[in-house]
Amino acid sequence: MTNPAILTVDDDPAVSRAVARDVRRRYGDRYRVVRAGSGPDALDALREIKLRGEQVAVMLADYRMPQMNGIEFLEEAMDLFPRARRVLLTAYADTDAAIDAINLVDLDHYLLKPWDPPEEKLYPVVDTLLDAWIATPDPSITETRVVGHRWSAPSFAVRDFLARNLVPYRWLLADEPEGGRLLKAAGLTPDDVPVVVLPDGKPLVAPSEAELAAQVGLTTTPTSDFYDLVVIGAGPAGLGASVYGASEGLRTVLVEQRATGGQAGQSSRIENYLGFPDGVSGAQLTERARRQALKFGAELLSAREVVGLEAAGPTRLLKFADGTSIAAHSVVLATGVSYRLLEAPGIADLTGRGIYYGSASTEAPSCAGEEVYIVGGANSAGQAAVYFSRYASRVHILIRSGDLGRSMSRYLIDQIEGIDTIEVHPHTEVMAAQGDGHLERLVLCDGRSGQTRTADAAALFIFIGAQPRTDWLGDAVARDSRGFVVTGADLVRDGQRPTGWTLPRDPYHLESSLPGVFAAGDVRADSLKRVASAVGEGAAAVALVHRYLAGQ
């Protein structure tokens, strides 16, 4: 941690050197002495310190300076470091101005020049001010900071990306004092948000996911242009394939467009996964798997979108959205599924501003004491309802069917029935979302009577259906009518292998219509949509990759 700063400002080089020398002699072992020759230069130094999340303990400014006098400087400096102690250096003739400054800039002390000997005239004053500052210092901040608006969809997207990639950050509202001070230090306004301030003080204005990933330490560039195995998608299936592929000696790279964990990574608590009797959050489970894959030597590329798959003889070529590509002997498709869009008036306009797909756990504290609605009746919806019940005054689960038993595990149903603040609304659909700039109301319809009603709502979380992320595959591999990848025996019809199949054997169980390309997890047609089965399919796919590479 960098020591707190003591800032000295004086336009006279001799005086500036003298005050910095005397301060450094007494406090240099505990504080960093920063010297500036003018008010503007000092403000630039303070902005840099602010963006780096460091502290300023005391500011000593000369009164008589061109461009900006000491009082004007301290007035602006207060906006950046309101808790720093302020001292004005004056000549005897300027004492009236110094006294007036006590009220104008909340001056802590003024010192007459010269201050010799410092042991009598300087150090006792600074000692007292440092003791007072230590009692209530500005906090040091070493993590990434995000400044934005609560009802800004781009601000939510940045926060969600960082949270899902387990990058620690501090959230600051642009219209609150600390957020405003950071924006001012960066020379920005609330209209520029979201702004991400990195630990080294570098501000990023409305960064793309790729830019953000590269700046917060996520790997975005492959170390090679050819691998034994490329795994696309870092959900449970992709992580399972990466762990087994790397641990068994295959040069493996895992490519993820959004965040490690997929939909499972957003789950607040998974309680039916083998080996975790007390449950485990999706983030914890996937972070352990990520570390395990890296330990065995797998590469993990973040914020990289794969847009094409081609066969080039025995090589499988994967194209990225930025025009680059990598090649491999084999590929595991583990891109999972995304939640189906809810088609109703107002939903699209308010997405990211009170309406969210998935659990969006970053919004939980903002839901304290509010009415929250969840659409969907599968396990992910049930886990979210239990999680948000810790914050919201009431959680409403909306389902089109008559009860939760058709699609939700019994253990979750029992939990929900035991929580008084969760209410299930069967045969209910969202017809419209309303609000001025953010969600305020929902129009709900009873599917039995056809009657509609309006309900106040602070947030809506959508968990409906599942659509595979396979449009980018085009005709490279066979897919069913819903877009899921068809594999194994399902590709063989009346003894006929799929069109274009060039090998003398039938496709392996998890193999697609393109030899050497396998599918695992939710993206595969007729797969069991559970975390454990996805991990198992990822591991099984690697065993089949070995058979393929051996020419069996």
Side-chain angles (χ1 to χ4, degrees), residues 5-217:
I6 296 177
L7 177 72
T8 69
V9 194
D10 199 304
D11 67 306
D12 185 325
V15 176
S16 178
R17 287 193 298 271
V19 67
R21 178 200 64 218
D22 289 343
V23 171
R24 189 175 291 111
R25 181 185 303 159
R26 174 90 166 198
Y27 307 104
D29 60 331
R30 292 163 289 155
Y31 295 89
R32 183 165 59 95
V33 179
V34 178
R35 183 162 67 96
S38 69
D41 287 348
L43 287 175
D44 287 342
L46 288 179
R47 293 186 187 102
E48 184 176 342
I49 293 170
K50 185 70 178 180
L51 290 172
R52 290 201 304 261
E54 298 169 1
Q55 300 169 305
V56 175
V58 174
M59 296 180 286
L60 300 98
D62 182 49
Y63 172 63
R64 286 185 177 271
M65 292 188 294
Q67 295 179 278
M68 176 184 290
N69 67 36
I71 295 174
E72 293 168 338
F73 161 72
L74 290 173
E75 190 172 14
E76 289 205 33
M78 285 174 62
D79 293 336
L80 296 172
F81 291 95
R83 295 182 183 177
R85 301 299 165 169
R86 293 169 286 278
V87 179
L88 194 66
L89 303 177
T90 71
Y92 182 79
D94 298 321
T95 53
D96 288 344
I99 292 171
D100 291 340
I102 291 175
N103 294 323
L104 182 61
V105 295
D106 195 18
L107 193 67
D108 293 291
H109 207 282
Y110 67 88
L111 284 173
L112 293 177
K113 298 188 292 184
W115 55 85
D116 291 330
E119 288 78 10
E120 295 181 12
K121 297 183 178 180
L122 176 64
Y123 296 153
V125 171
V126 177
D127 285 344
T128 299
L129 296 179
L130 288 175
D131 288 342
W133 177 82
I134 289 171
T136 57
D138 282 313
S140 290
I141 301 170
T142 58
E143 72 267 27
T144 296
R145 286 155 288 170
V146 179
V147 184
H149 299 302
R150 181 186 175 187
W151 302 120
S152 159
S155 295
F156 167 74
V158 166
R159 294 168 59 208
D160 187 57
F161 179 83
L162 292 174
R164 293 185 61 188
N165 282 284
L166 301 180
V167 177
Y169 72 92
R170 183 181 177 192
W171 167 239
L172 301 167
L173 292 172
D175 55 1
E176 291 185 346
E178 183 61 17
R181 285 192 281 270
L182 264 184
L183 291 176
K184 184 173 183 179
L188 302 170
T189 72
D191 293 334
D192 296 315
V193 299
V195 175
V196 178
V197 182
L198 302 174
D200 64 0
K202 179 181 179 180
L204 307 175
V205 180
S208 66
E209 288 186 353
E211 180 185 5
L212 188 56
Q215 293 293 331
V216 299

Side-chain angles (χ1 to χ4, degrees), residues 171-462:
W171 167 239
L172 301 167
L173 292 172
D175 55 1
E176 291 185 346
E178 183 61 17
R181 285 192 281 270
L182 264 184
L183 291 176
K184 184 173 183 179
L188 302 170
T189 72
D191 293 334
D192 296 315
V193 299
V195 175
V196 178
V197 182
L198 302 174
D200 64 0
K202 179 181 179 180
L204 307 175
V205 180
S208 66
E209 288 186 353
E211 180 185 5
L212 188 56
Q215 293 293 331
V216 299
L218 301 176
T219 302
T220 59
T221 305
T223 61
S224 174
D225 56 7
F226 196 92
Y227 294 85
D228 295 320
L229 172 63
V230 175
V231 181
I232 306 173
L239 287 166
S242 299
V243 167
Y244 280 90
S247 67
E248 294 175 9
L250 297 178
R251 186 167 190 186
T252 302
V253 61
L254 174 61
V255 183
E256 172 55 46
Q257 180 180 352
R258 285 284 295 151
T260 304
Q263 285 190 2
Q266 293 181 281
S267 176
S268 57
R269 183 148 296 268
I270 301 169
E271 297 190 58
N272 59 349
Y273 189 74
L274 186 66
F276 292 89
D278 298 321
V280 62
S281 73
Q284 290 173 323
L285 184 63
T286 54
E287 171 60 10
R288 292 179 183 184
R290 185 192 69 85
R291 295 202 314 266
Q292 199 171 12
L294 294 176
K295 182 187 79 170
F296 287 123
E299 291 181 35
L300 173 56
L301 305 183
S302 300
R304 296 303 301 267
E305 182 183 4
V306 182
V307 297
L309 169 63
E310 294 180 4
T315 297
R316 302 296 173 252
L317 188 66
L318 293 158
K319 296 183 177 180
F320 293 122
D322 63 358
T324 61
S325 62
I326 56 175
H329 290 302
S330 60
V331 175
V332 172
L333 302 173
T335 49
V337 296
S338 57
Y339 293 113
R340 185 163 50 84
L341 298 180
L342 180 58
E343 303 290 346
I347 295 292
D349 292 339
L350 298 177
T351 296
R353 295 183 289 170
I355 296 178
Y356 311 95
Y357 287 88
S359 63
S361 58
T362 54
E363 294 301 306
S366 300
C367 295
E370 304 281 4
E371 299 264 339
V372 168
Y373 285 76
I374 291 174
V375 179
N379 279 7
S380 54
Q383 290 160 352
V386 172
Y387 177 70
F388 282 103
S389 69
R390 305 173 193 168
Y391 300 88
S393 61
R394 182 160 290 275
V395 177
H396 303 267
I397 301 177
L398 311 179
I399 55 175
R400 291 189 297 178
S401 61
D403 59 68
L404 295 173
R406 294 182 56 184
S407 54
M408 190 177 293
S409 297
R410 186 69 238 178
Y411 82 91
L412 270 174
I413 296 174
D414 292 341
Q415 284 187 29
I416 289 170
E417 291 176 347
I419 300 175
D420 293 338
T421 56
I422 298 179
E423 184 176 353
V424 180
H425 302 267
H427 306 291
T428 303
E429 296 186 55
V430 175
M431 303 304 294
Q434 302 170 347
D436 183 12
H438 64 91
L439 178 66
E440 296 175 290
R441 296 170 301 278
L442 293 172
V443 178
L444 307 177
C445 177
D446 187 315
R448 294 163 296 187
S449 65
Q451 294 182 337
T452 61
R453 61 184 177 90
T454 301
D456 292 336
L460 173 68
F461 300 92
I462 301 169

